[in-house]
Amino acid sequence: MKERLEKLLPLVETPARYTGNEVNSIKKSINEGTIRFCMGFPDVYEVGMSHLGIKILYSMLNDREDVYCERVFAPWTDMEDLMRENEIPLFSLETQTPVSEFDFVGFTLQYEMSYTNILNMLDLAGVQIFAKDRDERSPLIIFGGPCAYNPEPIAEFADMVIIGEGEEVLSELMDLYSTHKNNYNRKSFLKAAARIQGVYVPEFYKAEYNDDGTLKRFDAVEAEVPEMIKKRFVKDLDNIYYPDNFVVPYIEIVHDRSLLELFRGCTRGCRFCQAGMIYRPLREKSLETLKKDADALIESTGYEEISLSSLSTMDYTCLPELTDYLMEKYAEKRIAVGLPSLRIDSFSIQTAEKIQQVRKTGLTFAPEAGTQRMRDVINKGVTEEDLISSVSEAFDLGWGHVKLYFMIGLPTETMEDVDGIAKLGYKVLDKYFETKSEKKNKKIKVVVSTSSFVPKAFTPFQWVRQDTIEEITEKQRYLIDNMRSKMINYSWHDPKVSYLEGVFARGDRKLAKVLYSAFKKGCKFDGSKEHFNYEKWLEAFKEEGIDPDFYTARERSVDELFPWDFIDMGVTKAFLAKEYQKALQGKLTGFCKFKCENCGFNEFEEGWKCHVYSKSQV
Amino acid sequence: MYTARVKFKRGNEIRFISHLDMQRMVQRILRRAHIPMKYSEGFNPHPKLAFAMAMSVGMLSDCEYFDVELENHVDPDEMISRINKSSPEGFTAVNALVTNQKMQSLTSLIEESEYTINAKLLNSEDSKKLEDAVKTILGEESIKYRKRNKKGRYNEKEIRPLIKDLDLVIENSKIKLGMRLSTGSKENLRPDVVIGILDPEKILFDWEFGFLTKRTFLGKSNLRERI
């Protein structure tokens, strides 16, 4: 394999995507008893290697003596063509072992538009695409990640789907497999696995539909498997495995830096945000743990930047202490500390000012909507004054590059709300011209970026109708026409991609055949402009007799049974429904870090009560 | 201020990375090895690191150089051992020179490179043809090479003086072709150009960059600083 591969590598773009052998990649001796796990990411190396979850699970699995976890990414199309031409099957990076020879192959579902890549990778590996066609010799195909919370569109391709955080449940699965490995029977293993909390085995369940296409019932059809799948979450992040090193790629990846995870969960309660609901409850790591993690990562990777990565990083209770520690110890060594998007307040600007001593980059804010009314609907608890005073302070301190993230197509949105985005862009620009500070930056650039809202399962907006492609296009055109300043740079998302994303985000099992058909037509890398082919997708829907509008264009009734309702993710459907009603009335819900808003999590699992912080702790 | 000049090898494991990746990789090796690099000033400080030449993707090398500016003196042997402990497979630091005196830059010192190609004759009867091709080149006084420039027009360039030596050994259809060519910012000739002249129709032997091992030579003016 290695020799055949070496012949192809000089012919492809960025061959180092396929060679492995990076610093901190794992080499192990393999024996009879070794459980072989191939961790797959359905996108190219540069994207997949940037993902924190994969890094954690790769290191954690390899920490076990009885498991060897390797990696595989989607080969770019030039490499895929050569592999198919030369009959080279999909192989792992570490040992160039064909993926079909592994015990387990895992795929993380980060994005709906990567689903065709999974099918393509299974095909390239020579693994049966549908779970029902697999036998004792096939690897077990596991899916996990945020999109797995609505697993139904991809359920027929999975042997198992992990709902929730992977650390504990994967360990339990490995323990279970080691008792089955010598006398392996696919079905009896899956039956045993289905009894582990957080493991969903789709073939043990059956969906029935009403004449109008909505779900009628969803039942377990195998004895002794749970009716409801309860998600998994790690209770104590200070006592769970976190890597002390990361694989350091040779080629530049999307997030080419160390990532420090400060906490999981977010309690802001933004109503559009799926992560804010499914990753509950809030669990912070202690300052001591984070210092230790950061020291180890900086030492072992040689990276010049460490990014503080969490859903709303600025909310971390001990953020000032943590940034002080990192700056004191590492500023002299020119190791920069990175923050993702900032909270819109003075504290955030002060923090950014402190940590950007090493390397000064732009600032990113996410007001999400252009008017106060719209921000109240989505429960984004910021005001225009917050934003304007924050950017004004930033301009005073010398920043000249400000990015603003918005969404269009939000529920109840009118053109007035869209216009608010353009107006806000100009108000920010005006603030720059009003700045009289000596430190004022000579260059100014305001980047306004809109993504198109896609209603997601397990959010207060899971019932709403999604804007059509035409509606989104009109709003984007309005913003293009109304932000003509050369100092404002407007960027937007392809509404056709958002439309398909919406179909799969709230899709059901009927979509499996559409996915298969689209893959057969050659759809892959649908998230990339270069490869996305909307016409082929429409053909696939048509041929399979499925109307994509069924999933996006209707307002769902309050009592509709959803395809994902058999999953218990902790926050109750009743809470989501209440939040939806409050949204329509423009009523806010507080930050539940300080006062419980009764989302249901305190009743979810025995032994768990959310920690209530007092405001003085912040 | 101190400067370290480091001689290194690039092996098979890392031959597919680009020059830019190589620079990034070396920076990270040096950081993991706790080498006290000096950084540039400004909003985006970066280590002062300079390579002799960019290498083609796929090519191996037995002898390459980089210079790095240091905050303080480091023992060269200590430096080499620390670098090698922090390096991925395929990267080996061989030797280092650490000085507080001004050194001539690598790019201005580099004059020649030696390349060795290990390949196979496609047809064992063709050894004579290849030997003749080598002799022809060495016998010529002038060789013009036509090259398309950035504007798409053809330029003609005299390259014979840039070919310092060719040396061919054929044993049981195995070829070992040595080439000594001008390298550097003033005059530069790529080995694939010479191969293209030797075997323009690609009928004599099959090769790719992986069969090519390079050695970079620094010029004679570097005698005092030779490492």
Side-chain angles (χ1 to χ4, degrees):
Chain A
M1 179 78 125
K2 219 165 183 165
E3 287 88 63
R4 286 167 68 205
L5 203 57
E6 290 246 325
K7 282 214 164 70
L8 304 185
L9 290 174
L11 309 174
V12 299
E13 192 187 303
T14 328
R17 283 169 175 162
Y18 313 105
T19 51
N21 196 48
E22 308 94 323
V23 164
N24 297 330
S25 59
I26 306 284
K27 294 195 174 68
K28 270 191 179 181
S29 60
I30 298 161
N31 57 44
E32 285 276 288
T34 309
I35 300 174
R36 301 195 63 183
F37 195 112
C38 193
M39 190 64 82
F41 195 102
D43 208 323
V44 278
Y45 179 91
E46 293 92 317
V47 177
M49 281 303 291
S50 301
H51 183 248
L52 180 60
I54 291 279
K55 292 175 198 285
I56 295 176
L57 296 177
Y58 175 77
S59 298
M60 186 205 81
L61 286 170
N62 278 318
D63 203 42
R64 289 175 65 119
E65 247 173 57
D66 58 342
V67 180
Y68 186 12
C69 177
E70 305 184 40
R71 294 163 297 155
V72 68
F73 302 95
W76 191 242
T77 47
D78 59 346
M79 183 65 171
E80 183 192 333
D81 293 345
L82 283 174
M83 286 167 71
R84 289 194 188 272
E85 218 170 275
N86 292 277
E87 290 174 0
I88 293 182
L90 191 70
F91 56 88
S92 66
L93 279 188
E94 277 73 5
T95 60
Q96 283 81 42
T97 304
V99 165
S100 59
E101 290 174 19
F102 281 78
D103 296 302
F104 291 91
V105 182
F107 286 100
T108 178
L109 313 177
Q110 293 296 315
Y111 181 41
E112 289 83 0
M113 299 314 283
S114 65
Y115 290 171
T116 50
N117 275 11
I118 298 180
L119 271 54
N120 195 37
M121 284 171 81
L122 288 173
D123 183 59
L124 201 51
V127 174
Q128 302 86 338
I129 292 179
F130 285 94
K132 64 175 165 51
D133 299 327
R134 294 185 197 126
D135 56 27
E136 308 334 282
R137 286 161 304 176
S138 318
L140 288 154
I141 307 298
I142 313 187
F143 295 163
C147 293
Y149 278 88
N150 177 21
E152 288 305 274
I154 41 83
E156 291 186 359
F157 312 111
D159 295 315
M160 289 172 278
V161 183
I162 306 285
I163 311 295
E165 290 162 8
E167 287 103 330
E168 293 170 346
V169 58
L170 271 183
S171 280
E172 289 160 30
L173 265 180
M174 294 303 109
D175 290 342
L176 179 69
Y177 188 73
S178 65
T179 66
H180 280 247
K181 189 170 162 60
N182 288 331
N183 194 11
Y184 175 68
N185 172 280
R186 184 174 177 276
K187 182 148 185 214
S188 57
F189 176 74
L190 287 177
K191 268 204 84 166
R195 285 195 285 264
I196 297 177
Q197 186 190 332
V199 177
Y200 166 47
V201 180
E203 65 193 58
F204 296 156
Y205 298 82
K206 196 169 165 258
E208 264 179 64
Y209 299 94
N210 296 310
D211 292 340
D212 64 3
T214 55
L215 189 64
K216 187 175 180 189
R217 20 181 333 136
F218 186 86
D219 301 299
V221 288
E222 185 73 33
E224 297 161 62
V225 301
E227 291 288 331
M228 290 285 283
I229 307 290
K230 256 183 122 156
K231 87 156 177 195
R232 289 297 292 268
F233 71 102
V234 174
K235 291 195 177 74
D236 180 2
L237 293 186
D238 284 328
N239 286 307
I240 193 78
Y241 183 88
Y242 197 74
D244 53 14
N245 69 55
F246 284 171
V247 172
V248 185
Y250 294 115
I251 56 176
E252 191 171 15
I253 59 171
V254 181
H255 299 299
D256 211 4
R257 53 186 85 101
S258 297
L259 301 171
L260 190 65
E261 187 187 33
L262 309 189
F263 58 90
R264 290 184 191 171
C266 172
T267 53
R268 297 239 144 213
C270 299
R271 292 178 181 129
F272 57 84
C273 179
Q274 189 191 37
M277 298 295 158
I278 61 177
Y279 293 138
R280 286 184 187 207
L282 173 69
R283 290 143 295 154
E284 294 194 343
K285 286 192 181 186
S286 72
L287 185 58
E288 288 318 304
T289 302
L290 291 174
K291 285 179 182 175
K292 185 178 73 68
D293 290 348
D295 289 342
L297 287 175
I298 289 170
E299 172 74 25
S300 64
T301 61
Y303 270 130
E304 53 282 356
E305 185 178 339
I306 183 159
S307 178
L308 308 183
S309 156
S310 283
L311 286 173
S312 172
T313 295
M314 305 302 302
D315 289 342
Y316 176 58
T317 308
C318 303
L319 193 66
E321 291 87 342
L322 180 64
T323 49
D324 283 346
Y325 173 80
L326 292 173
M327 292 313 294
E328 231 163 78
K329 194 158 177 185
Y330 297 111
E332 197 197 337
K333 293 179 179 156
R334 306 298 196 285
I335 291 164
V337 178
L339 287 173
S341 131
L342 291 185
R343 201 167 70 194
I344 303 174
D345 57 22
S346 181
F347 167 76
S348 301
I349 304 291
Q350 299 301 334
T351 308
E353 166 77 358
K354 181 166 80 189
I355 68 170
Q356 293 200 0
Q357 286 165 34
V358 176
R359 231 164 259 134
K360 202 155 194 160
T361 55
L363 291 183
T364 304
F365 298 105
E368 309 289 6
T371 58
Q372 198 57 47
R373 188 200 72 81
M374 196 71 256
R375 282 191 295 271
D376 289 347
V377 168
I378 62 176
N379 202 40
K380 183 86 191 177
V382 293
T383 63
E384 189 169 312
E385 294 75 60
D386 295 336
L387 179 71
I388 296 300
S389 68
S390 298
V391 292
S392 160
E393 193 173 350
F395 290 143
D396 278 345
L397 290 166
W399 270 281
H401 188 217
V402 177
K403 261 191 228 171
L404 304 172
Y405 284 162
F406 295 95
M407 267 181 295
I408 52 173
L410 287 163
T412 75
E413 184 180 60
T414 63
M415 283 318 272
E416 200 181 311
D417 299 309
V418 177
D419 184 57
I421 295 173
K423 286 217 168 81
L424 214 46
Y426 277 99
K427 279 182 194 158
V428 168
L429 199 56
D430 289 346
K431 270 289 152 200
Y432 170 78
F433 290 112
E434 286 168 25
T435 304
K436 292 195 176 66
S437 156
E438 278 173 21
K439 287 192 196 158
K440 181 172 170 176
N441 201 307
K442 288 192 187 68
K443 280 186 210 152
I444 170 74
K445 195 163 134 199
V446 178
V447 177
V448 173
S449 171
T450 62
S451 58
S452 312
F453 173 64
V454 175
K456 299 262 163 145
F458 291 118
T459 64
F461 293 151
Q462 61 180 348
W463 288 272
V464 308
R465 168 190 164 279
Q466 182 175 347
D467 262 14
T468 61
I469 293 172
E470 293 71 30
E471 285 165 322
I472 293 291
T473 308
E474 190 196 336
K475 291 172 183 177
Q476 290 173 338
R477 240 179 240 141
Y478 181 89
L479 288 172
I480 295 168
D481 289 341
N482 286 281
M483 283 193 288
R484 291 254 179 227
S485 164
K486 276 186 186 144
M487 283 163 274
I488 299 181
N489 197 332
Y490 174 51
S491 67
W492 61 92
H493 286 210
D494 183 348
K496 295 189 178 103
V497 175
S498 307
Y499 173 63
L500 288 181
E501 204 185 312
V503 171
F504 289 100
R506 292 186 292 169
D508 54 26
R509 275 195 192 192
K510 290 176 280 181
L511 288 172
K513 53 189 180 189
V514 178
L515 266 172
Y516 184 74
S517 161
F519 145 72
K520 278 286 177 193
K521 290 177 189 298
C523 290
K524 57 187 137 187
F525 289 106
D526 295 301
S528 91
K529 270 206 180 106
E530 195 182 336
H531 289 287
F532 179 62
N533 189 326
Y534 186 58
E535 282 65 42
K536 278 189 192 164
W537 272 104
L538 288 188
E539 274 172 39
F541 278 106
K542 207 170 164 196
E543 280 169 26
E544 299 302 331
I546 302 261
D547 177 10
D549 278 348
F550 169 76
Y551 299 97
T552 60
R554 61 193 179 89
E555 170 83 27
R556 286 149 164 86
S557 77
V558 187
D559 52 6
E560 180 171 333
L561 179 65
F562 292 143
W564 53 91
D565 277 348
F566 72 98
I567 289 170
D568 182 2
M569 63 94 174
V571 176
T572 60
K573 198 173 180 180
F575 174 78
L576 298 175
K578 199 175 101 201
E579 279 295 298
Y580 180 32
Q581 287 313 311
K582 281 173 87 175
L584 294 178
Q585 295 153 13
K587 282 191 186 149
L588 294 176
T589 295
F591 188 19
C592 75
K593 193 173 179 179
F594 307 119
K595 183 185 154 285
C596 179
E597 294 284 350
N598 297 312
C599 72
F601 221 97
N602 274 328
E603 291 77 44
F604 178 62
E605 203 166 290
E606 222 171 285
W608 177 263
K609 278 274 173 277
C610 295
H611 180 69
V612 180
Y613 292 77
S614 71
K615 286 212 180 182
S616 61
Q617 274 176 279
V618 179
Chain B
M1 192 198 74
Y2 288 86
T3 307
R5 177 157 293 172
V6 179
K7 180 157 113 180
F8 68 92
K9 289 183 183 185
R10 163 157 127 157
N12 198 45
E13 294 87 347
I14 57 165
R15 71 185 176 100
F16 284 113
I17 67 177
S18 70
H19 183 57
L20 213 72
D21 296 333
M22 190 84 178
Q23 289 175 312
R24 226 181 343 251
M25 181 189 86
V26 169
Q27 280 184 33
R28 288 174 185 158
I29 291 173
L30 296 173
R31 232 180 263 114
R32 287 193 296 268
H34 296 282
I35 305 299
M37 288 184 282
K38 202 172 159 56
Y39 286 81
S40 66
E41 303 292 323
F43 279 145
N44 191 10
H46 48 89
K48 297 196 159 182
L49 188 68
F51 284 73
M53 275 291 281
M55 277 187 77
S56 305
V57 172
M59 206 189 281
L60 303 159
S61 184
D62 275 349
C63 179
E64 291 294 315
Y65 297 92
F66 69 82
D67 283 352
V68 61
E69 287 185 21
L70 305 177
E71 290 283 358
N72 48 270
H73 183 266
V74 181
D75 175 68
D77 292 339
E78 162 87 23
M79 182 163 171
I80 292 300
S81 105
R82 265 162 41 188
I83 289 178
N84 286 334
K85 266 186 212 140
S86 308
S87 297
E89 279 173 50
F91 183 93
T92 320
V94 181
N95 222 336
L97 177 109
V98 178
T99 172
N100 60 355
Q101 286 169 15
K102 182 117 182 80
M103 282 195 288
Q104 227 182 307
S105 76
L106 283 167
T107 39
S108 69
L109 284 170
I110 184 171
E111 285 176 2
E112 282 177 20
S113 293
E114 186 181 275
Y115 302 87
T116 312
I117 298 184
N118 287 296
K120 240 183 136 171
L121 272 183
L122 289 173
N123 189 339
S124 56
E125 283 107 66
D126 281 345
S127 60
K128 181 89 175 54
K129 276 190 197 159
L130 188 58
E131 279 162 353
D132 286 348
V134 169
K135 273 185 205 146
T136 311
I137 291 185
L138 292 176
E140 297 282 1
E141 273 182 17
S142 161
I143 298 173
K144 297 274 199 257
Y145 173 62
R146 264 160 63 89
K147 191 182 161 191
R148 211 189 269 263
N149 67 12
K150 278 177 197 152
K151 285 178 193 152
R153 278 194 219 116
Y154 281 101
N155 266 356
E156 237 184 23
K157 195 184 161 196
E158 172 60 71
I159 58 166
R160 178 61 188 89
L162 311 186
I163 303 172
K164 304 297 178 190
D165 196 16
L166 296 179
D167 175 38
L168 177 69
V169 181
I170 304 180
E171 234 173 79
N172 309 328
S173 10
K174 273 194 192 152
I175 304 167
K176 191 174 172 186
L177 173 64
M179 298 189 271
R180 205 146 55 74
L181 311 175
S182 292
T183 317
S185 46
K186 281 165 262 156
E187 294 288 5
N188 193 53
L189 184 61
R190 290 164 52 112
D192 44 318
V193 172
V194 180
I195 295 169
I197 294 168
L198 278 173
D199 184 15
E201 283 143 56
K202 298 179 183 160
I203 44 170
L204 295 178
F205 65 102
D206 192 16
W207 74 283
E208 51 113 339
F209 276 111
F211 302 160
L212 244 159
T213 307
K214 182 187 169 201
R215 289 176 64 83
T216 303
F217 291 118
L218 300 182
K220 292 188 185 64
S221 53
N222 188 39
L223 269 179
R224 192 174 53 83
E225 291 150 359
R226 182 161 263 173
I227 59 166

